């Protein structure tokens, strides 16, 4: 693997609005190459989300919002109603990219609302640019707040197990689960992180390990199959993961493999904490109404393009799983902790 200068993930931006274009890190090239794409069309942003050039719930929410902002900014329409029609079709395309993370829909709706309320083409262009930039800044501020709330749960010397990548690369910056770890490190605590590789797309080894090594945070990469063994040996003090959607009844949808961590954590008396901002909460739906994305077979039968399974084998590739609230010790949010989450406590904090 070629040597690349290690970036500082405490300050790096995964997605940003720059000169009326969307600048994003190409996450498919990591950890080998840190390169940026400059996108100017909503179709390009939709493709980037679908192919996981950008991934992670908050990051795709902001990217989709910016994709829609591109549609408004670069539209040739002179008439306001025609502009709204045009952006409705871009919104539909962006919505179709990935079904599980609710942040995607939150981001699109936020830009649509601003555009609709603006009243003219000129005002729409001005207002959506400002909103896109605001969402970028807000994301980092929210993660830092969430990080500080969660850091209170982390003791000096803890080993924290995570899953997938809920770091700076899954957000505009700083991260949610890794934001908690960064905040604890900033408070002077020694924190060790256990990073499962997270098959099939390997966000743990490619992205989380890369972030933590870059920032000099102590981490150990393990195979997904080692999780139960490490917990059973007492090598995990806390589990902190991200979330793609938390439904009104307290079910946590996150990267496949999260549920087994939660079950094992409970079996061994280890606290289990999902960390998520307000934009990840879906107060309108219950767990039985959520679509879990099923991705292509290639991710499973191949590792980084190389085939590892026989041709003709049947494959199932659910990208997310669902953890019920009874396995959750507390949810860490930018509005504080929700201990023993329930429909009532979630609606109290999030409404
Ligand atoms: O398929 P991905 O890589 O988009 O899945 C990402 C996750 O599951 C993250 O844990 C989740 O989005 C939280 S990110 C702060």
């Amino acid at each position: 693997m070629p040597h690349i200068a290690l970036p500082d993930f405490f300050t790096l931006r995964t997605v940003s609005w720059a000169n009326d274009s969307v600048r994003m890190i190409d996450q498919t090239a990591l950890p080998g190459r840190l390169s940026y794409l400059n996108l100017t069309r909503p179709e390009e942003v939709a493709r980037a989300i679908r192919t996981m050039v950008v991934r992670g719930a908050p990051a795709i929410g902001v990217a989709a919002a910016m994709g829609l902002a591109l549609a408004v900014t670069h539209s040739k329409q002179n008439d306001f109603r025609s502009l709204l029609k045009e952006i409705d079709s871009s919104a539909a395309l962006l919505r179709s990219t990935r079904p599980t993370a609710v942040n995607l829909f939150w981001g699109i709706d936020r830009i649509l609302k601003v555009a609709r309320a603006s009243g003219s083409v000129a005002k729409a262009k001005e207002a959506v640019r400002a909103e896109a930039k605001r969402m970028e800044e807000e994301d980092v501020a929210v993660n830092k707040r969430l990080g500080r709330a969660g850091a209170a749960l982390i003791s000096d010397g803890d080993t924290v197990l995570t899953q997938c990548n809920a770091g700076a690369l899954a957000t505009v910056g700083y991260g949610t689960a890794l934001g908690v770890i960064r905040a604890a490190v900033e408070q002077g605590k020694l924190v060790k992180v256990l990073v499962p590789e997270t098959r099939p797309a390997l966000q743990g080894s490619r992205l989380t390990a890369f972030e933590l090594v870059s920032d000099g945070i102590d981490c150990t990469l393990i195979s997904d199959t080692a999780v139960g063994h490490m917990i059973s040996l007492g090598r995990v003090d806390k589990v902190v993961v991200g979330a793609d959607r938390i439904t009104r009844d307290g079910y946590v949808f996150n990267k496949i493999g999260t549920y087994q961590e939660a079950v094992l954590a409970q079996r061994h008396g280890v606290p289990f904490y999902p960390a998520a901002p307000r934009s990840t909460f879906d107060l309108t739906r219950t767990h039985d109404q959520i679509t879990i994305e099923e991705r292509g077979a290639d991710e499973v039968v191949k590792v980084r393009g190389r085939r590892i399974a026989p041709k003709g084998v049947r494959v199932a590739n659910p990208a997310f799983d669902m953890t019920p609230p009874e396995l959750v010790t507390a949810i860490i949010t930018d509005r504080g902790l929700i201990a023993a989450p329930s429909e009532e406590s979630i609606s109290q904090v999030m409404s």
Side-chain angles (χ1 to χ4, degrees):
M1 186 165 294
H3 174 76
I4 62 168
L6 294 177
D8 171 11
F9 280 101
F10 275 95
T11 55
L12 178 137
R13 294 231 163 158
T14 300
V15 189
S16 56
W17 181 261
N19 304 321
D20 289 346
S21 70
V22 181
R23 181 174 148 86
M24 61 172 70
I25 293 178
D26 179 358
Q27 299 192 35
T28 61
L30 290 172
R33 182 163 40 92
L34 179 64
S35 56
Y36 288 83
L37 300 176
N38 271 304
L39 309 180
T40 53
R41 295 188 310 118
E43 295 79 9
E44 293 174 326
V45 175
R47 193 177 327 115
I49 295 172
R50 212 184 288 275
T51 57
M52 292 169 74
V53 163
V54 60
R55 33 63 52 201
I60 65 173
V62 174
M66 289 182 177
L68 204 52
L70 288 177
V72 178
T73 303
H74 299 297
S75 172
K76 302 267 185 292
Q77 304 288 352
N78 301 314
D79 164 61
F80 185 55
R81 281 167 65 128
S82 310
L83 172 72
L84 292 186
K85 235 173 117 187
E86 185 178 312
I87 65 171
D88 274 343
S89 94
S90 295
L93 174 70
L94 288 158
R95 280 184 209 285
S96 71
T97 51
R98 299 191 75 187
T100 309
V102 74
N103 308 60
L104 180 86
F105 307 95
W106 163 88
I108 293 167
D109 288 341
R110 201 164 144 174
I111 293 289
L112 276 181
K113 193 170 163 199
V114 166
R116 285 191 183 124
S118 64
S120 76
V121 172
K123 283 186 186 152
K125 288 184 191 263
E126 203 47 51
V128 299
R129 278 196 200 103
E131 188 69 359
K133 197 68 201 158
R134 197 173 302 123
M135 289 171 80
E136 179 185 332
E137 301 303 328
E138 258 179 43
D139 181 272
V140 179
V142 156
N143 294 334
K144 290 196 169 167
R145 232 173 15 247
L146 179 156
R148 281 193 297 274
L153 300 166
I154 308 294
S155 306
D156 189 28
D158 270 355
T159 296
V160 176
L161 172 71
T162 189
Q163 174 67 353
C164 189
N165 172 267
L169 289 163
T171 60
V172 172
Y174 203 73
T176 56
L178 294 194
V180 170
I181 287 157
R182 286 198 169 93
V185 167
E186 284 179 317
Q187 291 171 359
K189 293 172 188 164
L190 179 69
V191 186
K192 297 180 179 169
V193 188
L194 265 190
V195 182
E197 56 185 350
T198 316
R199 275 284 286 150
L202 297 170
Q203 293 93 331
S205 51
R206 292 191 304 107
L207 308 176
T208 297
F210 182 56
E211 281 195 33
L212 295 173
V213 168
S214 292
D215 283 347
I217 297 174
D218 187 316
C219 72
T220 303
L221 182 66
I222 57 173
S223 65
D224 299 326
T225 38
V227 162
H229 177 66
M230 297 304 258
I231 296 181
S232 76
L233 290 183
R235 300 234 189 119
V236 176
D237 298 300
K238 272 127 207 176
V239 181
V240 183
V241 297
D244 289 82
R245 187 185 300 239
I246 300 176
T247 50
R248 58 180 298 159
D249 50 351
Y251 282 70
V252 178
F253 290 77
N254 192 48
K255 180 53 55 191
I256 193 77
T258 301
Y259 173 65
Q260 62 208 31
E261 288 189 4
V263 171
L264 285 158
Q266 189 176 66
R267 167 78 174 81
H268 295 281
V270 174
F272 176 83
Y273 302 112
R278 170 67 184 88
S279 54
T280 301
F281 284 79
D282 180 354
L283 300 184
T284 64
R285 289 180 192 78
T286 51
H287 68 279
D288 47 332
Q289 298 172 300
I290 307 308
T291 303
I292 291 195
E293 179 182 8
E294 184 75 30
R295 292 186 65 85
D298 264 11
E299 286 183 353
V300 181
V301 298
K302 294 180 182 168
V303 174
R304 308 301 285 156
R306 186 156 165 258
R307 193 165 190 102
I308 51 151
K311 286 199 169 129
V313 69
R314 188 184 307 124
V315 172
N317 186 15
F320 300 96
D321 61 25
M322 175 179 89
T323 299
E326 57 271 22
L327 297 180
V328 175
T329 311
I331 306 175
I332 303 165
T333 84
D334 52 312
R335 299 185 184 183
L337 304 180
I338 307 178
S342 63
E343 186 144 356
E344 293 68 41
S345 58
I346 288 175
S347 129
Q348 247 169 36
V349 178
M350 288 301 161
S351 293

